[in-house]
Amino acid sequence: MRGITLSSLCLLMHLLLDEITTILVLEKQVLQDLIKPRKVEFHSLNFNSTLHWQPGRARGARDTVYFVQYKVYGQSTWQNKDDCWGIQNHVCDLTNETSDIQEPYYGRVKATSTGIYSDWSVSCRFTPWQETMIGPPTVTVVHSNKSITLKLRAPRSPYRRKTGSKIPMTKYYDLLYKVFIINNLLDEQHRVLVYEGKDKVIKIEGLRPGVSYCIVAKTYVPMLDHSSAYSSKKCTVLQ
Ligand SMILES: *[C@@H]1O[C@H](CO)[C@@H](O)[C@H](O)[C@H]1NC(C)=O
Ligand SMILES: *[C@@H]1O[C@H](CO)[C@@H](O)[C@H](O)[C@H]1NC(C)=O
Ligand SMILES: *[C@@H]1O[C@H](CO)[C@@H](O)[C@H](O)[C@H]1NC(C)=O
């Protein structure tokens, strides 16, 4: 015990006392603030729009449940999202509720734990058309023999036509595809842009037989200057 000096013991005592005092002072207001959800924000990919949040600062409040509401900007009443009323996870799918894609929306979340309710935490304004991330196209290699022929398919929105098929993102935006080729003999990271435009079927010529090539593609929205992530790689060896 000789290592512990009187002053460090004194400090320890103070820390313990502080803890105890803190616990005693935890009145309702403090608890409410401690469980209040944080970072309430929309995440949206191809109009699949979900509200995400983080639990409040209180640790170990495992029995916390959450309630979600939403509204269109300018409306005075909030709507309950029934599927996200008293849920334990930190995500709520508001795709159907935000389907008027030009409208600005808000979402908000409150928490309850051991009989105490937090205030609402409100998201920033979310306008699906401006803010959704567009996904990459799906790339299929149709055939490769001296040249490579590709088929590109636009990402689908979650919204359906009357016939039941999902509406492609090309219905909502003027989309361009960017197609890149990677020659596996060269640097893996070196992607060469070989096509930019709207065509769904693309032929890449002037390639060398016996060489393995990979293709990746992106979607680009010129009006918003938004680019998607790269599609997954499709590789082929030319005959
Ligand atoms: C969205 O609406 C469709 C059709 O009305 C329904 O089948 C689906 O369950 C809804 N999804 C969510 C997450 O609310
Ligand atoms: C590839 O091209 C050659 C010559 O044009 C042709 O004989 C061959 O059948 C083609 N192979 C495939 C798999 O299309
Ligand atoms: C949105 O995406 C999630 C995760 O991929 C999925 O579970 C959910 O069904 C999608 N929502 C709609 C309405 O399609």
Side-chain angles (χ1 to χ4, degrees):
M1 292 306 278
R2 290 179 66 185
I4 298 178
T5 64
L6 199 58
S7 71
S8 64
L9 258 181
C10 182
L11 182 64
L12 191 61
M13 288 294 290
H14 266 110
L15 285 175
L16 281 173
L17 277 176
D18 274 356
E19 286 275 289
I20 292 163
T21 320
T22 310
I23 291 162
L24 292 177
V25 173
L26 280 182
E27 290 176 17
K28 208 169 155 216
Q29 181 62 49
V30 179
L31 280 171
Q32 283 173 345
D33 288 348
L34 279 176
I35 62 170
K36 188 176 173 185
R38 293 179 294 165
K39 288 200 175 175
V40 177
E41 53 195 37
F42 279 91
H43 294 185
S44 182
L45 177 65
N46 302 324
F47 297 129
N48 178 316
S49 303
T50 46
L51 197 65
H52 290 241
W53 59 92
Q54 287 180 7
R57 281 179 191 78
R59 278 154 222 255
R62 283 203 195 123
D63 57 342
T64 307
V65 297
Y66 301 95
F67 304 90
V68 175
Q69 290 186 330
Y70 61 93
K71 71 170 186 177
V72 175
Y73 174 73
Q75 281 180 350
S76 53
T77 49
W78 290 88
Q79 315 279 320
N80 293 352
K81 170 64 179 168
D82 291 336
D83 293 343
C84 309
W85 203 252
I87 56 168
Q88 284 189 302
N89 46 9
H90 306 150
V91 185
C92 177
D93 193 331
L94 291 177
T95 301
N96 286 356
E97 290 68 25
T98 54
S99 60
D100 230 335
I101 55 166
Q102 308 269 10
E103 290 289 339
Y105 293 92
Y106 289 105
R108 66 179 189 178
V109 188
K110 77 172 169 185
T112 180
S113 178
T114 59
I116 289 167
Y117 285 82
S118 76
D119 283 338
W120 292 99
S121 281
V122 188
S123 72
C124 290
R125 197 198 289 189
F126 166 68
T127 309
W129 191 82
Q130 276 167 23
E131 288 164 62
T132 200
M133 309 268 296
I134 315 281
T138 310
V139 181
T140 337
V141 175
V142 183
H143 102 153
S144 64
N145 184 5
K146 296 196 164 60
S147 65
I148 299 175
T149 304
L150 299 174
K151 236 185 180 160
L152 300 173
R153 186 175 186 260
R156 307 276 126 174
S157 79
Y159 304 127
R160 291 176 187 275
R161 295 197 180 92
K162 289 208 178 73
T163 58
S165 63
K166 289 185 170 173
I167 302 171
M169 294 303 277
T170 43
K171 275 278 172 216
Y172 303 100
Y173 299 95
D174 219 9
L175 296 183
L176 296 182
Y177 301 116
K178 290 184 179 181
V179 177
F180 303 80
I181 195 159
I182 305 164
N183 174 342
N184 283 356
L185 289 180
L186 303 175
D187 181 3
E188 263 285 313
Q189 299 309 313
H190 189 64
R191 304 180 185 97
V192 180
L193 181 69
V194 289
Y195 175 80
E196 181 168 351
K198 292 187 174 189
D199 293 349
K200 294 185 187 109
V201 178
I202 290 147
K203 193 170 179 187
I204 308 170
E205 291 178 294
L207 303 174
R208 302 218 323 248
V211 174
S212 160
Y213 291 97
C214 294
I215 311 288
V216 287
K218 277 183 171 185
T219 310
Y220 179 63
V221 189
M223 192 172 215
L224 298 171
D225 193 25
H226 283 181
S227 237
S228 75
Y230 284 106
S231 67
S232 59
K233 249 200 281 187
K234 287 293 154 65
C235 300
T236 178
V237 182
L238 285 202
Q239 325 249 298

